Amino acid sequence: MKNEKTYSLTKLLVAVFAVAACVLATGCSDDDDGSSGTPTEPVKVKLGTSATLGKYLTDADGNTLYFFSNDVAGQNTCTGGCATNWPVYSAGSLAAANLGEGLSIDDFSVVGTQTTYKGWPLYYYAPSGVREAAGQTTGEAVGGIWFVAKTDYTFMIANAQLIGLDGKHYKGDYTEGDAKVKYFVDAKGRTVYGFIQDKKNDNNFTTGDGAHDANWPIYGGTMGSVPSTLDKTLFGTITVMGNTQLTYKGWPLYYFGNDANRGDNKGVSVPKPGVWPVVVADIVAAPE
């Protein structure tokens, strides 16, 4: 009997020391599956794919997220009945571990409690208050101002008042007055302009002088996506001073150096209204 007790006690001590060693060395979990017990961060934003629209942002359940053209300045402008049809998306605190493959935490932020991507507040689509099903993109191009949130837009459409460097309000015909205008911006809401002295695929402004060119920097880079309401074949590129400049209908495209904030369109009054127009979808083609 004494030997049996001694053996049992020894066996118990061995088991206790083994568990203690395991906890100290590896942090064993109750599950005997060899896992470390470290919790996995939940994915909150990921990419969905459409045969016609390509890749776009969704929430964890595959519900499509959207941009609103009126939000070009980076603030939510969807209120009242608009907010019923377009509920805000709020992911809460985000870290890289909360994002699906192909997404960067640097592109995300918040305005109030609403999650933003590249400065665009994100929304769901819920016509008549009923949210569309996961995988649907029925909110695309609604009113010509709602678009699926894509990662690779080269151009987006803004819908905003034109306010020149002179502080005056302008309509789409560059007469003074209040009216929203749909015009092109880049992926982060920076306004895109043309120059009336340019010709088809011919930049007549850029000289290579840094101080001069900084007033109207060229909009360069490679073409990615555009909203579905635009014809991508009307965009192109030219080479200017060894750099690539994007074009639309043959018009070389520029930024305005004094547009300090996203959504600014101050260049419309410089040196007088209409010399540097914002680029709109139905602009006439550049002359030969």
Side-chain angles (χ1 to χ4, degrees):
M1 179 68 71
K2 185 176 181 180
N3 288 339
E4 288 180 3
K5 289 183 177 179
T6 301
Y7 174 74
S8 298
L9 181 59
T10 301
K11 193 173 180 181
L12 177 61
L13 290 172
V14 169
V16 169
F17 281 118
V19 170
C22 178
V23 170
L24 289 172
T26 63
C28 295
S29 68
D30 290 336
D31 299 325
D32 198 14
D33 60 359
S35 67
S36 67
T38 302
T40 302
E41 288 284 340
V43 171
K44 296 182 179 180
V45 189
K46 60 184 182 179
L47 291 174
T49 303
S50 161
T52 55
L53 298 174
K55 294 183 178 180
Y56 56 90
L57 298 183
T58 77
D59 68 6
D61 298 319
N63 296 296
T64 304
L65 301 175
Y66 293 89
F67 295 154
F68 184 29
S69 294
N70 291 21
D71 289 350
V72 63
Q75 298 293 321
N76 180 320
T77 61
C78 179
T79 59
C82 175
T84 299
N85 293 327
W86 300 92
V88 303
Y89 172 63
S90 299
S93 179
L94 282 177
N98 301 128
L99 304 179
E101 184 177 354
L103 298 176
S104 170
I105 192 63
D106 294 337
D107 291 323
F108 291 88
S109 188
V110 293
V111 55
T113 61
Q114 187 173 11
T115 302
T116 67
Y117 181 76
K118 293 184 178 179
W120 295 94
L122 295 171
Y123 301 82
Y124 292 114
Y125 183 40
S128 301
V130 180
R131 188 184 299 178
E132 66 179 356
Q136 290 187 317
T137 55
T138 56
E140 171 66 13
V142 168
I145 51 178
W146 289 94
F147 301 98
V148 296
K150 302 181 71 172
T151 62
D152 64 342
Y153 280 124
T154 300
F155 294 90
M156 258 295 292
I157 294 175
N159 187 41
Q161 176 69 53
L162 303 180
I163 304 176
L165 188 63
D166 57 7
K168 296 179 180 180
H169 287 203
Y170 292 94
K171 297 182 288 187
D173 61 1
Y174 297 98
T175 60
E176 290 184 37
D178 293 323
K180 286 184 177 179
V181 178
K182 294 179 185 176
Y183 59 93
F184 296 176
V185 294
D186 70 8
K188 295 186 177 181
R190 191 173 180 186
T191 300
V192 176
Y193 300 83
F195 180 39
I196 61 169
Q197 293 185 23
D198 282 346
K199 303 296 182 182
K200 183 178 180 181
N201 297 324
D202 185 12
N203 175 326
N204 285 315
F205 177 82
T206 305
T207 63
D209 180 296
H212 171 270
D213 295 349
N215 292 309
W216 295 94
I218 66 172
Y219 180 25
T222 56
M223 274 298 299
S225 293
V226 299
S228 61
T229 55
L230 301 179
D231 182 351
K232 192 174 179 180
T233 66
L234 298 177
F235 295 87
T237 60
I238 58 175
T239 300
V240 179
M241 301 291 170
N243 298 307
T244 299
Q245 184 172 18
L246 293 166
T247 65
Y248 178 68
K249 291 187 178 180
W251 289 104
L253 303 178
Y254 304 81
Y255 293 122
F256 180 44
N258 283 354
D259 282 346
N261 303 306
R262 61 176 298 135
D264 282 353
N265 44 50
K266 297 177 180 179
V268 295
S269 67
V270 178
K272 64 181 181 179
V275 174
W276 289 90
V278 292
V279 180
V280 297
D282 61 355
I283 193 172
V284 297
E288 298 284 351

